[in-house]
Every structure is written in C-alpha cells, then in structure tokens.
Amino acid sequence: MPTSKKQLVKLNREKKAKAEELSKQAAAGSESAKKKLKKLEKKIK
C-alpha cells in the first residue's frame, strides 16, 4: 500500500482515468464495463 501523498495522488489519477475509459465503454453498451465502473467508483470514494 502506498504511503506517500505523491503515490496516492498518482494512484487516484490512474483510477480516474480508467473510470473515464470504462464510462465511455459503458455508454457504448458494454455490460461488463458498467460493472467494473461501479466497483472503481466505490474505490475512488
């Protein structure tokens, strides 16, 4: 588990980028992308 603020910021940025990518796929109608997006959003909060 990363402990430094810098590492946490980097991880959150990566998660948000991935969430955006998944939301685009979900908008295109991908069911698995919708499920993954829900899980990711829980982790981000």
mmCIF file of all heavy atoms in Angstrom:
data_model
loop_
_atom_site.group_PDB
_atom_site.id
_atom_site.type_symbol
_atom_site.label_atom_id
_atom_site.label_comp_id
_atom_site.label_asym_id
_atom_site.label_seq_id
_atom_site.Cartn_x
_atom_site.Cartn_y
_atom_site.Cartn_z
ATOM 1 N N MET A 1 0.839 -1.184 0.000
ATOM 2 C CA MET A 1 0.000 0.000 0.000
ATOM 3 C C MET A 1 0.888 1.254 0.000
ATOM 4 O O MET A 1 1.777 1.380 0.846
ATOM 5 C CB MET A 1 -0.844 -0.055 1.276
ATOM 6 C CG MET A 1 -2.165 0.658 1.240
ATOM 7 S SD MET A 1 -3.231 0.224 -0.100
ATOM 8 C CE MET A 1 -4.098 1.738 -0.223
ATOM 9 N N PRO A 2 0.657 2.148 -0.954
ATOM 10 C CA PRO A 2 1.483 3.365 -0.985
ATOM 11 C C PRO A 2 1.199 4.251 0.226
ATOM 12 O O PRO A 2 0.057 4.363 0.663
ATOM 13 C CB PRO A 2 1.054 4.047 -2.266
ATOM 14 C CG PRO A 2 -0.274 3.486 -2.580
ATOM 15 C CD PRO A 2 -0.304 2.101 -2.015
ATOM 16 N N THR A 3 2.226 4.848 0.744
ATOM 17 C CA THR A 3 2.047 5.658 1.936
ATOM 18 C C THR A 3 2.230 7.143 1.668
ATOM 19 O O THR A 3 1.613 7.962 2.334
ATOM 20 C CB THR A 3 3.026 5.225 3.045
ATOM 21 O OG1 THR A 3 4.339 5.222 2.498
ATOM 22 C CG2 THR A 3 2.689 3.844 3.554
ATOM 23 N N SER A 4 3.056 7.487 0.705
ATOM 24 C CA SER A 4 3.311 8.906 0.483
ATOM 25 C C SER A 4 2.157 9.572 -0.257
ATOM 26 O O SER A 4 1.433 8.934 -1.040
ATOM 27 C CB SER A 4 4.609 9.111 -0.300
ATOM 28 O OG SER A 4 4.410 8.801 -1.657
ATOM 29 N N LYS A 5 1.998 10.835 -0.014
ATOM 30 C CA LYS A 5 0.932 11.624 -0.643
ATOM 31 C C LYS A 5 1.088 11.592 -2.161
ATOM 32 O O LYS A 5 0.109 11.460 -2.891
ATOM 33 C CB LYS A 5 1.013 13.066 -0.118
ATOM 34 C CG LYS A 5 0.060 14.027 -0.748
ATOM 35 C CD LYS A 5 -1.327 13.875 -0.208
ATOM 36 C CE LYS A 5 -2.221 14.979 -0.733
ATOM 37 N NZ LYS A 5 -3.608 14.620 -0.709
ATOM 38 N N LYS A 6 2.311 11.666 -2.614
ATOM 39 C CA LYS A 6 2.596 11.680 -4.052
ATOM 40 C C LYS A 6 2.102 10.388 -4.718
ATOM 41 O O LYS A 6 1.488 10.415 -5.787
ATOM 42 C CB LYS A 6 4.099 11.852 -4.268
ATOM 43 C CG LYS A 6 4.490 12.284 -5.637
ATOM 44 C CD LYS A 6 5.980 12.593 -5.680
ATOM 45 C CE LYS A 6 6.369 13.269 -6.957
ATOM 46 N NZ LYS A 6 7.792 13.594 -7.004
ATOM 47 N N GLN A 7 2.361 9.245 -4.063
ATOM 48 C CA GLN A 7 1.936 7.955 -4.611
ATOM 49 C C GLN A 7 0.414 7.857 -4.629
ATOM 50 O O GLN A 7 -0.163 7.332 -5.573
ATOM 51 C CB GLN A 7 2.522 6.809 -3.797
ATOM 52 C CG GLN A 7 3.994 6.598 -4.048
ATOM 53 C CD GLN A 7 4.555 5.520 -3.140
ATOM 54 O OE1 GLN A 7 4.314 5.540 -1.932
ATOM 55 N NE2 GLN A 7 5.296 4.590 -3.698
ATOM 56 N N LEU A 8 -0.231 8.344 -3.571
ATOM 57 C CA LEU A 8 -1.691 8.287 -3.503
ATOM 58 C C LEU A 8 -2.325 9.140 -4.590
ATOM 59 O O LEU A 8 -3.300 8.726 -5.220
ATOM 60 C CB LEU A 8 -2.183 8.749 -2.124
ATOM 61 C CG LEU A 8 -1.931 7.768 -0.987
ATOM 62 C CD1 LEU A 8 -2.303 8.396 0.346
ATOM 63 C CD2 LEU A 8 -2.722 6.488 -1.188
ATOM 64 N N VAL A 9 -1.769 10.312 -4.828
ATOM 65 C CA VAL A 9 -2.288 11.202 -5.868
ATOM 66 C C VAL A 9 -2.149 10.524 -7.232
ATOM 67 O O VAL A 9 -3.068 10.548 -8.042
ATOM 68 C CB VAL A 9 -1.552 12.563 -5.844
ATOM 69 C CG1 VAL A 9 -1.867 13.384 -7.071
ATOM 70 C CG2 VAL A 9 -1.928 13.327 -4.587
ATOM 71 N N LYS A 10 -1.007 9.896 -7.454
ATOM 72 C CA LYS A 10 -0.766 9.209 -8.728
ATOM 73 C C LYS A 10 -1.766 8.069 -8.914
ATOM 74 O O LYS A 10 -2.340 7.909 -9.995
ATOM 75 C CB LYS A 10 0.664 8.669 -8.765
ATOM 76 C CG LYS A 10 1.021 8.011 -10.068
ATOM 77 C CD LYS A 10 2.426 7.448 -10.060
ATOM 78 C CE LYS A 10 2.718 6.695 -11.333
ATOM 79 N NZ LYS A 10 3.893 5.862 -11.242
ATOM 80 N N LEU A 11 -1.993 7.285 -7.867
ATOM 81 C CA LEU A 11 -2.947 6.175 -7.942
ATOM 82 C C LEU A 11 -4.355 6.665 -8.245
ATOM 83 O O LEU A 11 -5.056 6.094 -9.070
ATOM 84 C CB LEU A 11 -2.965 5.407 -6.619
ATOM 85 C CG LEU A 11 -2.087 4.179 -6.531
ATOM 86 C CD1 LEU A 11 -2.234 3.537 -5.163
ATOM 87 C CD2 LEU A 11 -2.409 3.170 -7.612
ATOM 88 N N ASN A 12 -4.777 7.732 -7.561
ATOM 89 C CA ASN A 12 -6.110 8.266 -7.778
ATOM 90 C C ASN A 12 -6.272 8.777 -9.201
ATOM 91 O O ASN A 12 -7.319 8.597 -9.813
ATOM 92 C CB ASN A 12 -6.433 9.385 -6.782
ATOM 93 C CG ASN A 12 -6.850 8.833 -5.442
ATOM 94 O OD1 ASN A 12 -7.299 7.697 -5.354
ATOM 95 N ND2 ASN A 12 -6.710 9.628 -4.408
ATOM 96 N N ARG A 13 -5.223 9.401 -9.733
ATOM 97 C CA ARG A 13 -5.267 9.909 -11.103
ATOM 98 C C ARG A 13 -5.452 8.750 -12.082
ATOM 99 O O ARG A 13 -6.238 8.826 -13.018
ATOM 100 C CB ARG A 13 -3.984 10.679 -11.410
ATOM 101 C CG ARG A 13 -4.133 11.631 -12.567
ATOM 102 C CD ARG A 13 -2.912 12.502 -12.771
ATOM 103 N NE ARG A 13 -2.673 13.381 -11.633
ATOM 104 C CZ ARG A 13 -1.474 13.583 -11.073
ATOM 105 N NH1 ARG A 13 -0.415 12.951 -11.527
ATOM 106 N NH2 ARG A 13 -1.347 14.398 -10.048
ATOM 107 N N GLU A 14 -4.721 7.648 -11.840
ATOM 108 C CA GLU A 14 -4.831 6.471 -12.701
ATOM 109 C C GLU A 14 -6.237 5.873 -12.621
ATOM 110 O O GLU A 14 -6.810 5.490 -13.635
ATOM 111 C CB GLU A 14 -3.809 5.413 -12.298
ATOM 112 C CG GLU A 14 -2.388 5.788 -12.648
ATOM 113 C CD GLU A 14 -1.366 4.801 -12.113
ATOM 114 O OE1 GLU A 14 -1.747 3.762 -11.545
ATOM 115 O OE2 GLU A 14 -0.166 5.086 -12.276
ATOM 116 N N LYS A 15 -6.792 5.801 -11.402
ATOM 117 C CA LYS A 15 -8.136 5.250 -11.232
ATOM 118 C C LYS A 15 -9.176 6.097 -11.948
ATOM 119 O O LYS A 15 -10.086 5.573 -12.580
ATOM 120 C CB LYS A 15 -8.496 5.151 -9.747
ATOM 121 C CG LYS A 15 -7.804 4.026 -9.034
ATOM 122 C CD LYS A 15 -8.203 4.003 -7.571
ATOM 123 C CE LYS A 15 -7.441 2.964 -6.784
ATOM 124 N NZ LYS A 15 -7.741 3.042 -5.356
ATOM 125 N N LYS A 16 -9.031 7.423 -11.864
ATOM 126 C CA LYS A 16 -9.989 8.309 -12.522
ATOM 127 C C LYS A 16 -9.903 8.185 -14.037
ATOM 128 O O LYS A 16 -10.913 8.193 -14.723
ATOM 129 C CB LYS A 16 -9.773 9.758 -12.081
ATOM 130 C CG LYS A 16 -10.264 9.991 -10.672
ATOM 131 C CD LYS A 16 -10.030 11.411 -10.205
ATOM 132 C CE LYS A 16 -10.451 11.570 -8.758
ATOM 133 N NZ LYS A 16 -10.134 12.882 -8.222
ATOM 134 N N ALA A 17 -8.685 8.045 -14.562
ATOM 135 C CA ALA A 17 -8.500 7.881 -15.999
ATOM 136 C C ALA A 17 -9.144 6.581 -16.460
ATOM 137 O O ALA A 17 -9.821 6.530 -17.492
ATOM 138 C CB ALA A 17 -7.023 7.896 -16.349
ATOM 139 N N LYS A 18 -8.965 5.531 -15.676
ATOM 140 C CA LYS A 18 -9.552 4.244 -16.007
ATOM 141 C C LYS A 18 -11.075 4.316 -15.925
ATOM 142 O O LYS A 18 -11.780 3.746 -16.765
ATOM 143 C CB LYS A 18 -9.021 3.163 -15.053
ATOM 144 C CG LYS A 18 -9.352 1.764 -15.497
ATOM 145 C CD LYS A 18 -8.559 0.737 -14.716
ATOM 146 C CE LYS A 18 -8.777 -0.639 -15.288
ATOM 147 N NZ LYS A 18 -7.891 -1.642 -14.728
ATOM 148 N N ALA A 19 -11.590 5.043 -14.945
ATOM 149 C CA ALA A 19 -13.035 5.206 -14.793
ATOM 150 C C ALA A 19 -13.620 5.933 -15.997
ATOM 151 O O ALA A 19 -14.698 5.572 -16.484
ATOM 152 C CB ALA A 19 -13.356 5.960 -13.515
ATOM 153 N N GLU A 20 -12.920 6.932 -16.509
ATOM 154 C CA GLU A 20 -13.395 7.652 -17.686
ATOM 155 C C GLU A 20 -13.445 6.725 -18.889
ATOM 156 O O GLU A 20 -14.407 6.731 -19.654
ATOM 157 C CB GLU A 20 -12.475 8.838 -17.999
ATOM 158 C CG GLU A 20 -12.699 10.023 -17.099
ATOM 159 C CD GLU A 20 -11.804 11.195 -17.468
ATOM 160 O OE1 GLU A 20 -11.505 11.392 -18.657
ATOM 161 O OE2 GLU A 20 -11.408 11.920 -16.538
ATOM 162 N N GLU A 21 -12.413 5.919 -19.039
ATOM 163 C CA GLU A 21 -12.349 4.967 -20.153
ATOM 164 C C GLU A 21 -13.500 3.968 -20.061
ATOM 165 O O GLU A 21 -14.176 3.691 -21.049
ATOM 166 C CB GLU A 21 -11.004 4.233 -20.086
ATOM 167 C CG GLU A 21 -10.679 3.433 -21.319
ATOM 168 C CD GLU A 21 -9.312 2.781 -21.204
ATOM 169 O OE1 GLU A 21 -8.321 3.497 -20.955
ATOM 170 O OE2 GLU A 21 -9.263 1.551 -21.344
ATOM 171 N N LEU A 22 -13.749 3.449 -18.853
ATOM 172 C CA LEU A 22 -14.836 2.492 -18.652
ATOM 173 C C LEU A 22 -16.198 3.136 -18.888
ATOM 174 O O LEU A 22 -17.092 2.497 -19.423
ATOM 175 C CB LEU A 22 -14.784 1.904 -17.241
ATOM 176 C CG LEU A 22 -13.726 0.830 -17.013
ATOM 177 C CD1 LEU A 22 -13.647 0.466 -15.547
ATOM 178 C CD2 LEU A 22 -14.008 -0.402 -17.840
ATOM 179 N N SER A 23 -16.345 4.400 -18.523
ATOM 180 C CA SER A 23 -17.629 5.063 -18.714
ATOM 181 C C SER A 23 -17.931 5.227 -20.202
ATOM 182 O O SER A 23 -19.080 5.134 -20.616
ATOM 183 C CB SER A 23 -17.680 6.405 -18.002
ATOM 184 O OG SER A 23 -16.780 7.318 -18.572
ATOM 185 N N LYS A 24 -16.887 5.426 -21.004
ATOM 186 C CA LYS A 24 -17.079 5.507 -22.456
ATOM 187 C C LYS A 24 -17.545 4.164 -23.001
ATOM 188 O O LYS A 24 -18.447 4.092 -23.834
ATOM 189 C CB LYS A 24 -15.778 5.925 -23.153
ATOM 190 C CG LYS A 24 -15.415 7.375 -22.925
ATOM 191 C CD LYS A 24 -14.098 7.710 -23.581
ATOM 192 C CE LYS A 24 -13.620 9.094 -23.187
ATOM 193 N NZ LYS A 24 -12.263 9.360 -23.670
ATOM 194 N N GLN A 25 -16.932 3.088 -22.520
ATOM 195 C CA GLN A 25 -17.323 1.741 -22.951
ATOM 196 C C GLN A 25 -18.738 1.427 -22.490
ATOM 197 O O GLN A 25 -19.521 0.829 -23.225
ATOM 198 C CB GLN A 25 -16.361 0.690 -22.397
ATOM 199 C CG GLN A 25 -14.977 0.759 -23.005
ATOM 200 C CD GLN A 25 -14.018 -0.221 -22.355
ATOM 201 O OE1 GLN A 25 -14.424 -1.107 -21.619
ATOM 202 N NE2 GLN A 25 -12.725 -0.050 -22.609
ATOM 203 N N ALA A 26 -19.075 1.842 -21.272
ATOM 204 C CA ALA A 26 -20.402 1.594 -20.727
ATOM 205 C C ALA A 26 -21.450 2.356 -21.546
ATOM 206 O O ALA A 26 -22.541 1.847 -21.798
ATOM 207 C CB ALA A 26 -20.463 1.996 -19.264
ATOM 208 N N ALA A 27 -21.104 3.553 -21.966
ATOM 209 C CA ALA A 27 -22.020 4.352 -22.781
ATOM 210 C C ALA A 27 -22.249 3.671 -24.128
ATOM 211 O O ALA A 27 -23.330 3.808 -24.718
ATOM 212 C CB ALA A 27 -21.459 5.748 -22.980
ATOM 213 N N ALA A 28 -21.260 2.930 -24.578
ATOM 214 C CA ALA A 28 -21.392 2.208 -25.847
ATOM 215 C C ALA A 28 -22.217 0.936 -25.676
ATOM 216 O O ALA A 28 -22.534 0.257 -26.641
ATOM 217 C CB ALA A 28 -20.012 1.877 -26.406
ATOM 218 N N GLY A 29 -22.556 0.601 -24.436
ATOM 219 C CA GLY A 29 -23.443 -0.529 -24.180
ATOM 220 C C GLY A 29 -22.766 -1.771 -23.626
ATOM 221 O O GLY A 29 -23.337 -2.845 -23.649
ATOM 222 N N SER A 30 -21.565 -1.634 -23.114
ATOM 223 C CA SER A 30 -20.848 -2.789 -22.570
ATOM 224 C C SER A 30 -21.276 -3.045 -21.126
ATOM 225 O O SER A 30 -21.048 -2.209 -20.248
ATOM 226 C CB SER A 30 -19.350 -2.555 -22.638
ATOM 227 O OG SER A 30 -18.661 -3.557 -21.940
ATOM 228 N N GLU A 31 -21.897 -4.184 -20.879
ATOM 229 C CA GLU A 31 -22.381 -4.525 -19.529
ATOM 230 C C GLU A 31 -21.225 -4.738 -18.556
ATOM 231 O O GLU A 31 -21.272 -4.293 -17.416
ATOM 232 C CB GLU A 31 -23.251 -5.785 -19.569
ATOM 233 C CG GLU A 31 -24.657 -5.536 -20.078
ATOM 234 C CD GLU A 31 -25.449 -4.565 -19.208
ATOM 235 O OE1 GLU A 31 -25.393 -4.661 -17.970
ATOM 236 O OE2 GLU A 31 -26.128 -3.691 -19.761
ATOM 237 N N SER A 32 -20.181 -5.439 -18.991
ATOM 238 C CA SER A 32 -19.049 -5.700 -18.090
ATOM 239 C C SER A 32 -18.359 -4.394 -17.708
ATOM 240 O O SER A 32 -17.898 -4.242 -16.585
ATOM 241 C CB SER A 32 -18.057 -6.666 -18.729
ATOM 242 O OG SER A 32 -17.497 -6.114 -19.902
ATOM 243 N N ALA A 33 -18.308 -3.449 -18.630
ATOM 244 C CA ALA A 33 -17.700 -2.150 -18.333
ATOM 245 C C ALA A 33 -18.512 -1.415 -17.279
ATOM 246 O O ALA A 33 -17.957 -0.754 -16.409
ATOM 247 C CB ALA A 33 -17.581 -1.307 -19.601
ATOM 248 N N LYS A 34 -19.823 -1.543 -17.327
ATOM 249 C CA LYS A 34 -20.688 -0.891 -16.331
ATOM 250 C C LYS A 34 -20.412 -1.446 -14.938
ATOM 251 O O LYS A 34 -20.320 -0.700 -13.967
ATOM 252 C CB LYS A 34 -22.172 -1.091 -16.679
ATOM 253 C CG LYS A 34 -22.617 -0.288 -17.880
ATOM 254 C CD LYS A 34 -24.070 -0.544 -18.189
ATOM 255 C CE LYS A 34 -24.500 0.122 -19.475
ATOM 256 N NZ LYS A 34 -25.884 -0.183 -19.828
ATOM 257 N N LYS A 35 -20.262 -2.763 -14.845
ATOM 258 C CA LYS A 35 -19.996 -3.398 -13.554
ATOM 259 C C LYS A 35 -18.637 -2.967 -13.007
ATOM 260 O O LYS A 35 -18.498 -2.645 -11.825
ATOM 261 C CB LYS A 35 -20.040 -4.921 -13.696
ATOM 262 C CG LYS A 35 -21.433 -5.451 -13.943
ATOM 263 C CD LYS A 35 -21.429 -6.946 -14.160
ATOM 264 C CE LYS A 35 -22.811 -7.458 -14.520
ATOM 265 N NZ LYS A 35 -22.801 -8.878 -14.860
ATOM 266 N N LYS A 36 -17.623 -2.958 -13.873
ATOM 267 C CA LYS A 36 -16.279 -2.565 -13.448
ATOM 268 C C LYS A 36 -16.271 -1.105 -13.008
ATOM 269 O O LYS A 36 -15.595 -0.741 -12.053
ATOM 270 C CB LYS A 36 -15.281 -2.769 -14.590
ATOM 271 C CG LYS A 36 -14.981 -4.219 -14.872
ATOM 272 C CD LYS A 36 -14.016 -4.363 -16.033
ATOM 273 C CE LYS A 36 -13.798 -5.805 -16.408
ATOM 274 N NZ LYS A 36 -12.957 -5.937 -17.609
ATOM 275 N N LEU A 37 -17.032 -0.281 -13.707
ATOM 276 C CA LEU A 37 -17.091 1.137 -13.378
ATOM 277 C C LEU A 37 -17.682 1.350 -11.995
ATOM 278 O O LEU A 37 -17.181 2.152 -11.211
ATOM 279 C CB LEU A 37 -17.920 1.872 -14.437
ATOM 280 C CG LEU A 37 -18.029 3.387 -14.294
ATOM 281 C CD1 LEU A 37 -16.661 4.033 -14.364
ATOM 282 C CD2 LEU A 37 -18.930 3.952 -15.375
ATOM 283 N N LYS A 38 -18.721 0.602 -11.650
ATOM 284 C CA LYS A 38 -19.327 0.720 -10.320
ATOM 285 C C LYS A 38 -18.320 0.370 -9.234
ATOM 286 O O LYS A 38 -18.213 1.063 -8.224
ATOM 287 C CB LYS A 38 -20.553 -0.190 -10.202
ATOM 288 C CG LYS A 38 -21.777 0.368 -10.870
ATOM 289 C CD LYS A 38 -22.971 -0.512 -10.627
ATOM 290 C CE LYS A 38 -24.197 0.029 -11.328
ATOM 291 N NZ LYS A 38 -25.373 -0.812 -11.101
ATOM 292 N N LYS A 39 -17.556 -0.714 -9.439
ATOM 293 C CA LYS A 39 -16.554 -1.126 -8.460
ATOM 294 C C LYS A 39 -15.476 -0.053 -8.311
ATOM 295 O O LYS A 39 -15.058 0.273 -7.203
ATOM 296 C CB LYS A 39 -15.896 -2.439 -8.879
ATOM 297 C CG LYS A 39 -16.770 -3.649 -8.667
ATOM 298 C CD LYS A 39 -16.027 -4.921 -9.000
ATOM 299 C CE LYS A 39 -16.869 -6.148 -8.798
ATOM 300 N NZ LYS A 39 -16.155 -7.379 -9.147
ATOM 301 N N LEU A 40 -15.028 0.497 -9.436
ATOM 302 C CA LEU A 40 -13.978 1.507 -9.407
ATOM 303 C C LEU A 40 -14.454 2.764 -8.684
ATOM 304 O O LEU A 40 -13.709 3.354 -7.908
ATOM 305 C CB LEU A 40 -13.595 1.883 -10.835
ATOM 306 C CG LEU A 40 -12.177 1.583 -11.286
ATOM 307 C CD1 LEU A 40 -11.932 2.086 -12.688
ATOM 308 C CD2 LEU A 40 -11.120 2.059 -10.351
ATOM 309 N N GLU A 41 -15.684 3.158 -8.927
ATOM 310 C CA GLU A 41 -16.207 4.371 -8.288
ATOM 311 C C GLU A 41 -16.252 4.207 -6.771
ATOM 312 O O GLU A 41 -15.988 5.154 -6.052
ATOM 313 C CB GLU A 41 -17.597 4.707 -8.839
ATOM 314 C CG GLU A 41 -17.542 5.282 -10.225
ATOM 315 C CD GLU A 41 -18.913 5.515 -10.841
ATOM 316 O OE1 GLU A 41 -19.899 4.957 -10.339
ATOM 317 O OE2 GLU A 41 -18.984 6.265 -11.818
ATOM 318 N N LYS A 42 -16.540 3.004 -6.306
ATOM 319 C CA LYS A 42 -16.535 2.752 -4.855
ATOM 320 C C LYS A 42 -15.130 2.909 -4.296
ATOM 321 O O LYS A 42 -14.944 3.450 -3.212
ATOM 322 C CB LYS A 42 -17.066 1.359 -4.564
ATOM 323 C CG LYS A 42 -18.556 1.218 -4.734
ATOM 324 C CD LYS A 42 -19.027 -0.188 -4.415
ATOM 325 C CE LYS A 42 -20.509 -0.354 -4.688
ATOM 326 N NZ LYS A 42 -20.948 -1.727 -4.464
ATOM 327 N N LYS A 43 -14.134 2.440 -5.048
ATOM 328 C CA LYS A 43 -12.746 2.520 -4.578
ATOM 329 C C LYS A 43 -12.258 3.967 -4.555
ATOM 330 O O LYS A 43 -11.489 4.340 -3.685
ATOM 331 C CB LYS A 43 -11.825 1.694 -5.486
ATOM 332 C CG LYS A 43 -11.979 0.205 -5.302
ATOM 333 C CD LYS A 43 -10.999 -0.544 -6.172
ATOM 334 C CE LYS A 43 -11.164 -2.039 -6.039
ATOM 335 N NZ LYS A 43 -10.241 -2.764 -6.929
ATOM 336 N N ILE A 44 -12.689 4.772 -5.520
ATOM 337 C CA ILE A 44 -12.234 6.150 -5.614
ATOM 338 C C ILE A 44 -12.728 6.971 -4.427
ATOM 339 O O ILE A 44 -12.006 7.791 -3.893
ATOM 340 C CB ILE A 44 -12.678 6.790 -6.963
ATOM 341 C CG1 ILE A 44 -11.912 6.142 -8.114
ATOM 342 C CG2 ILE A 44 -12.443 8.288 -6.959
ATOM 343 C CD1 ILE A 44 -12.379 6.562 -9.484
ATOM 344 N N LYS A 45 -13.951 6.710 -3.984
ATOM 345 C CA LYS A 45 -14.541 7.491 -2.885
ATOM 346 C C LYS A 45 -13.933 7.200 -1.558
ATOM 347 O O LYS A 45 -13.081 6.615 -1.227
ATOM 348 C CB LYS A 45 -16.042 7.221 -2.785
ATOM 349 C CG LYS A 45 -16.775 7.782 -3.951
ATOM 350 C CD LYS A 45 -18.249 7.516 -3.842
ATOM 351 C CE LYS A 45 -18.977 8.030 -5.068
ATOM 352 N NZ LYS A 45 -20.359 7.703 -5.080
#
